[in-house]
Amino acid sequence: MGVRKNQATLTAQEKRAFVDAVLALKANGGYDPFVTTHNQFILSDVDNGERTGHRSPSFLPWHRKYLLQFEQALQAIDPSVNLPYWDWTADRSTSSTVWGADFMGGNGRATDGQVTTGPFAYSGGNWTLTVNTDSRNYLRRQLAVGTAQLPTRPDAESVLAITTYDAAPWNSTSSGFRNNLEGWRGVNLHNRVHVWVGGQMATGMSPNDPVFWLHHCFVDKLWSEWQKRNPGQTYLPTAGTTNVVDLNEPMKPWNTVSPADMLSHSAQYTYDTGY
């Protein structure tokens, strides 16, 4: 069982192992299908129709399964690798270690947003985008342009204090923990981070930017923390709900795993610390 660590505490060797595994997965053709899958669900998940990966109660278990599948793909290359997380309530600047040349690389240049530093810069020859909305095949970022500030610790704590998991109408207008964490209402946690990074992270093809995995790993950590703080609360809805995934219903695209199957991660991984 692996331990998911804060990226700020990773050793140089741990950073290199993670980066190398991601690059190897890209090179062997295993990375881009994750981008395609995410984009397909972004496009199909709508407030008034079927929704699974986003705008819905299954946002959190769906991404937990999705991240676990990605982590297992990396571990097939290097068994020592675990997903790190980016605590954007603590590492909040454009010069944070997550943007180092030895890890995610830095901001995009002013002219076209192209990332020119780090292992995922197009100029390095190892990170050409093939799943994209246009002909630009390089990684782009515009840090702190779409929104000036990342969420704060008090922002996160205010969402963790919401005790009900979700509520009707089970979409982007809902009250409850899930929707406030996803960011469609309230202080805006998850969605705001995508916009703050900009570039591909502000699109349905956001996994083109490897920081996606660190961002969503922290979202998963926040859900894990909420579960610890609210042992009497669980996933909602439980049954008979149109267009959303109930507790024991299978989630696409796997069709073999339900939200109930993803409520505990203790058999697959733990986090280095609580929040």
Side-chain angles (χ1 to χ4, degrees), residues 4 60-61 64 85 160 165 177 181 216-231 233 262-266 269-275:
R4 294 182 176 179
L60 291 169
R64 180 167 282 179
Y85 62 88
L160 288 168
Y165 178 80
F177 168 74
L181 176 54
H216 269 275
C217 193
F218 187 59
V219 172
D220 184 76
K221 178 181 170 68
L222 289 176
W223 181 29
S224 181
E225 180 68 19
W226 181 87
Q227 290 176 302
K228 291 177 185 176
R229 297 186 188 187
N230 297 276
Q233 299 293 324
M262 302 310 299
L263 295 185
S264 175
H265 59 74
S266 59
Y269 60 88
T270 60
Y271 284 104
D272 54 351
T273 65
Y275 183 62

Side-chain angles (χ1 to χ4, degrees), residues 40 51 61 103 113 138 167 221 225:
Q40 287 172 341
R51 48 201 182 274
F103 202 35
Y138 49 84
K221 178 181 170 68
E225 180 68 19

